Amino acid sequence: MKLPPFEYACPTSISEAVALLASHDGEAKPLAGGQSLVPMMAFRVASPSLLVDLRKVAELREIRITQDGVTLGAMVRWRDILEDARLLTAHPLLVAAVEHVAHYQIRNRGTVGGSIAHADPAAEMPGIVVTCDAQIAVMGRAGARTIAAGDFFQGPLMTALKPDEIITEIHFPLWPAKRRFGFQEFARRRGDFAMAAAAVFYDDDNGKARNAHVGVIGVADHPLRLSSVEAVINGQKIDDALIAKAEATTSAAVDPADDIHASGAYRKALVGVMVERALRAAAA
Ligand SMILES: Cc1cc2nc3c(=O)[nH]c(=O)nc-3n(C[C@H](O)[C@H](O)[C@H](O)COP(=O)(O)OP(=O)(O)OC[C@H]3O[C@@H](n4cnc5c(N)ncnc54)[C@H](O)[C@@H]3O)c2cc1C
């Protein structure tokens, strides 16, 4: 299907990109890999008057690993993450989740910034940034600001971004070497969006879990952190009884709607199983 008409610009700096976005009264959109935006334009779900292509903004492509954690530039692609061996130790949960994103071709072009800005409730990256308390750095006409991932996602395809803002980078807090984690996803076919997924991590404190984080994907209109499940895990030894309690608490904490892929009741049960498996993987 042909795209609606649009103007095109390919800036080389963040400030130039922001100025271009601001010049079109909310009618311009950044273009990352085009993996969601171009189909949305083809289906007339989006009709921006100007596309601001970010591919030549080199500073958006960096992966930085420091004592403060991992920082991904918005234009880092799934493939860049999977090919960067440092991330296997610097942030293994991130790598485990990205292994479930789409197929080879899409991973060559899809970006972390595009995924977060697109805010698909079934996408892995929004779930990981919420689970990990990541900070999302954005730049707009009014300057730079940082948005906590937990405040960023407001509904399906809805975020806290203003029309003239671009995501510049995503910062993940330091990942301790001995942290335990699990990521489990159920999709109809490998590479499809998640029907339900769970990301879990905790720190081991003499055989008991501390600092538990539990995030779920695909069971609400945006990714969720489940504090009730974290409360079940914190201070406890991870054994069969605890895992069963965490599974039941997960299912009780969510209220997914029916859709064309599955009933809400099915997803409620499924996401409990995802948390159960993720906890088992973390404990193993
Ligand atoms: C067949 C198929 C299967 C897929 N399967 C999965 C999957 O299993 N899991 C998954 O998570 N994803 C999946 N995806 C999505 C894909 O991985 C991309 O993450 C997603 O499409 C975003 O693509 P993009 O980075 O090319 O962004 P684009 O399509 O270029 O942009 C998407 C949106 O983000 C905005 N945007 C882009 N960059 C920025 C920025 N820096 N700042 C502000 N706004 C920005 C754009 O204006 C647009 O609104 C799939 C996509 C396809 C086509």
Side-chain angles (χ1 to χ4, degrees):
M1 200 184 282
K2 285 185 182 164
L3 300 183
F6 58 89
E7 290 175 50
Y8 174 84
C10 195
T12 53
S13 70
I14 293 172
S15 54
E16 206 188 330
V18 167
L20 282 160
L21 286 176
S23 70
H24 273 238
D25 290 330
E27 296 299 318
K29 270 198 163 291
L31 174 69
Q35 300 299 285
S36 291
L37 183 53
V38 171
M40 285 176 69
M41 290 172 70
F43 286 119
R44 303 302 192 264
V45 177
S47 301
S49 57
L50 170 69
L51 287 187
V52 180
D53 191 342
L54 301 177
R55 76 192 157 93
K56 289 192 178 164
V57 185
E59 59 205 295
L60 296 179
R61 291 209 175 273
E62 280 179 30
I63 299 179
R64 292 198 310 277
I65 300 174
T66 68
Q67 288 181 340
D68 290 334
V70 172
T71 305
L72 304 176
M75 288 295 284
V76 166
R77 300 165 302 169
W78 308 125
R79 173 186 165 172
D80 300 325
I81 292 172
L82 295 175
E83 289 184 350
D84 191 327
R86 299 173 304 162
L87 288 171
L88 286 170
T89 45
H91 213 296
L93 175 60
L94 170 68
V95 177
V98 171
E99 282 170 354
H100 289 266
V101 175
H103 315 282
Y104 185 79
Q105 291 86 343
I106 289 142
R107 293 205 292 257
N108 279 342
R109 296 192 68 95
T111 67
V112 296
S115 176
I116 289 172
H118 186 58
D120 190 310
E124 288 83 0
M125 191 67 183
I128 291 300
V129 296
V130 166
T131 307
C132 295
D133 283 336
Q135 297 286 323
I136 298 166
V138 308
M139 177 73 86
R141 193 169 17 188
R145 65 182 178 125
T146 302
I147 308 170
D151 299 329
F152 188 81
F153 301 99
Q154 299 181 338
L157 314 190
M158 286 187 289
T159 70
L161 270 182
K162 297 186 179 133
D164 64 314
E165 285 180 327
I166 62 169
I167 298 171
T168 53
E169 58 187 32
I170 299 102
H171 177 72
F172 292 88
L174 184 72
W175 182 272
K178 291 190 173 165
R179 179 164 280 171
R180 294 182 166 274
F181 73 96
F183 182 86
Q184 290 289 320
E185 172 169 326
F186 186 85
R188 284 157 65 96
R189 295 169 305 187
R190 173 116 193 135
D192 279 1
F193 279 99
M195 199 172 274
V200 170
F201 70 83
Y202 61 85
D203 296 317
D204 188 284
D205 187 5
N206 289 322
K208 294 195 171 163
R210 185 172 57 75
N211 187 31
H213 285 224
V214 177
V216 290
I217 297 166
V219 289
D221 62 5
H222 58 85
L224 301 175
R225 268 260 321 259
L226 299 182
S227 55
S228 56
V229 185
E230 293 169 0
V232 164
I233 297 169
N234 275 325
Q236 304 299 320
K237 185 171 178 289
I238 308 297
D239 56 17
D240 285 349
L242 187 281
I243 290 173
K245 192 171 174 194
E247 177 182 349
T249 308
T250 300
S251 294
V254 300
D255 188 18
D258 298 341
D259 66 21
I260 53 166
H261 301 298
S263 68
Y266 176 75
R267 273 208 169 84
K268 208 172 162 66
L270 181 63
V271 75
V273 174
M274 294 299 103
V275 167
E276 180 237 307
R277 291 183 185 171
L279 260 178
R280 281 197 196 287

